[in-house]
Amino acid sequence: MAEVLLFHHVQGLTSGVTAFADRLRAAGHTVHTPDLFGGGRTFPDIETGGAHLREVGFREIGARAAREAEALPQALVYAGMSMGVGGAQQLAQTRPGARGALLLHGCLPAAEFGGWPSGVPVQLHAMEEDPFFVEDLEAAKELVAEANDGELFLYPGEEHLFTDSSLPAYDEVATDLVLKRVRDFLADK
């Protein structure tokens, strides 16, 4: 079974992020879900969470993600939801021993962290008309092409954080399919 480090999205470590992790735990995986905002802070919408992120700073959030990884073994699958993709992608690309990366609702250009490492598989999941992900689509396609083992899954719809069961954007059918594909991905990690 895999050991996963899952970073939350800009609305914080919501009960929906924890529920997503719990479904992976139920399949036998170890999933760590650190609170990058600290103190259990969550936000009612993307805009408010985004304002908090800008106040804290992207670099600080990335540094917090790196500190969380330092306390864990190197043989991890790094996962992130939207904002959390930054930390997951950076660690998957720069920390030795990465077993894979799961990027949900977002993607950065692989060049941001020096190119995609050989032998590190990656899965990306987003809705095809998500206005936030549309900006990331080209980077996602390029990353998948660069990776030795990369997959991009697009789901019908326009919701951004559709895998978070605590938010109005939640799509149960799409999330069930994401989780099936993620469990298949993790099966040999």
Side-chain angles (χ1 to χ4, degrees):
M1 291 293 146
E3 189 161 358
V4 179
L5 179 55
L6 172 63
F7 299 118
H8 61 77
H9 52 69
V10 76
Q11 288 183 246
L13 183 58
T14 63
S15 61
V17 172
T18 302
F20 186 92
D22 285 344
R23 290 182 69 181
L24 295 177
R25 291 178 183 121
H29 304 290
T30 300
V31 184
H32 306 275
T33 53
D35 179 358
L36 297 178
F37 289 160
R41 290 189 75 174
T42 60
F43 299 93
D45 52 52
I46 291 171
E47 294 74 22
T48 308
H52 178 70
L53 172 60
R54 287 186 295 281
E55 182 179 306
V56 171
F58 289 96
R59 286 182 195 251
E60 174 58 24
I61 294 297
R64 290 175 185 181
R67 285 192 297 272
E68 291 292 338
E70 287 173 7
L72 298 172
Q74 289 186 323
L76 292 171
V77 173
Y78 298 99
M81 295 180 165
S82 190
M83 175 201 80
V85 162
Q89 196 170 328
Q90 179 177 358
L91 289 163
Q93 288 186 239
T94 63
R95 188 170 189 238
R99 302 295 305 265
L102 295 165
L103 309 178
L104 288 80
H105 322 297
C107 180
L108 297 170
E112 184 83 17
F113 305 111
W116 196 259
S118 178
V120 177
V122 60
Q123 263 191 6
L124 295 99
H125 300 269
M127 285 200 161
E128 55 195 1
E129 295 179 43
D130 169 1
F132 294 98
F133 188 76
V134 167
E135 300 171 3
D136 299 345
L137 184 57
E138 283 309 308
K141 288 178 180 178
E142 290 172 13
L143 190 152
V144 167
E146 185 177 334
N148 293 340
D149 181 7
E151 298 175 288
L152 171 60
F153 296 104
L154 297 175
Y155 303 84
E158 61 183 27
E159 298 298 339
H160 183 52
L161 301 173
F162 70 93
T163 59
D164 185 324
S165 60
S166 69
L167 300 178
Y170 180 61
D171 184 315
E172 182 177 7
V173 173
T175 299
D176 286 347
L177 185 52
V178 169
L179 282 160
K180 179 196 178 310
R181 290 171 168 162
V182 166
R183 285 190 299 266
D184 290 347
F185 178 85
L186 294 175
D188 63 350
K189 308 292 180 280

Coordinates of all heavy atoms in Angstrom, one line a residue, residues 116-122 143-150:
W116 N 10.1 17.4 -15.3 CA 9.5 16.3 -14.7 C 10.6 15.2 -14.5 O 11.2 14.8 -15.5 CB 8.3 15.7 -15.4 CG 7.5 14.8 -14.5 CD1 7.5 13.5 -14.5 CD2 6.7 15.2 -13.4 NE1 6.7 13.0 -13.5 CE2 6.2 14.1 -12.8 CE3 6.3 16.5 -12.9 CZ2 5.4 14.1 -11.7 CZ3 5.5 16.5 -11.8 CH2 5.0 15.3 -11.2
P117 N 10.7 14.6 -13.3 CA 11.8 13.5 -13.1 C 11.4 12.2 -13.8 O 10.2 11.8 -13.8 CB 11.8 13.4 -11.6 CG 10.5 13.9 -11.1 CD 10.0 14.9 -12.1
S118 N 12.4 11.6 -14.4 CA 12.2 10.3 -15.0 C 11.8 9.3 -14.0 O 12.3 9.2 -12.9 CB 13.5 9.8 -15.7 OG 13.4 8.6 -16.2
G119 N 10.8 8.4 -14.3 CA 10.4 7.4 -13.5 C 9.3 7.7 -12.4 O 9.0 6.9 -11.6
V120 N 8.9 9.0 -12.4 CA 7.9 9.4 -11.4 C 6.5 9.5 -12.2 O 6.3 10.5 -13.0 CB 8.2 10.7 -10.7 CG1 7.1 11.1 -9.8 CG2 9.5 10.6 -10.0
P121 N 5.6 8.6 -11.9 CA 4.3 8.7 -12.6 C 3.4 9.8 -12.0 O 3.6 10.2 -10.9 CB 3.7 7.3 -12.4 CG 4.3 6.8 -11.1 CD 5.7 7.4 -11.1
V122 N 2.5 10.3 -12.9 CA 1.7 11.4 -12.5 C 0.3 11.2 -13.0 O 0.1 10.7 -14.2 CB 2.3 12.7 -12.9 CG1 2.4 12.8 -14.4 CG2 1.4 13.9 -12.4
L143 N 3.1 18.5 -19.2 CA 3.6 17.7 -18.2 C 3.4 16.2 -18.4 O 4.3 15.4 -18.3 CB 3.0 18.1 -16.8 CG 3.6 17.4 -15.6 CD1 3.4 18.4 -14.4 CD2 3.1 16.1 -15.3
V144 N 2.2 15.8 -18.9 CA 1.8 14.4 -19.2 C 2.7 13.9 -20.3 O 3.2 12.8 -20.3 CB 0.3 14.3 -19.5 CG1 0.0 12.9 -20.1 CG2 -0.5 14.5 -18.2
A145 N 3.0 14.8 -21.3 CA 3.8 14.4 -22.4 C 5.3 14.2 -22.0 O 6.0 13.3 -22.5 CB 3.7 15.4 -23.5
E146 N 5.7 15.0 -21.0 CA 7.1 14.9 -20.5 C 7.3 13.7 -19.6 O 8.4 13.2 -19.6 CB 7.4 16.2 -19.8 CG 8.9 16.3 -19.4 CD 9.2 17.6 -18.7 OE1 8.5 18.7 -19.0 OE2 10.2 17.6 -17.9
A147 N 6.3 13.4 -18.8 CA 6.4 12.3 -17.9 C 6.5 10.9 -18.6 O 5.9 10.8 -19.6 CB 5.2 12.3 -16.9
N148 N 7.3 10.0 -18.0 CA 7.3 8.7 -18.6 C 6.0 8.0 -18.5 O 5.6 7.2 -19.3 CB 8.4 7.8 -17.9 CG 9.8 8.3 -18.2 OD1 10.0 9.1 -19.1 ND2 10.7 8.0 -17.3
D149 N 5.3 8.3 -17.4 CA 4.0 7.6 -17.1 C 3.0 8.7 -16.6 O 3.0 9.0 -15.4 CB 4.2 6.5 -16.1 CG 3.0 5.8 -15.7 OD1 1.9 6.0 -16.4 OD2 3.0 5.0 -14.8
G150 N 2.3 9.4 -17.5 CA 1.4 10.4 -17.1 C 0.1 10.3 -17.7 O -0.1 9.8 -18.8

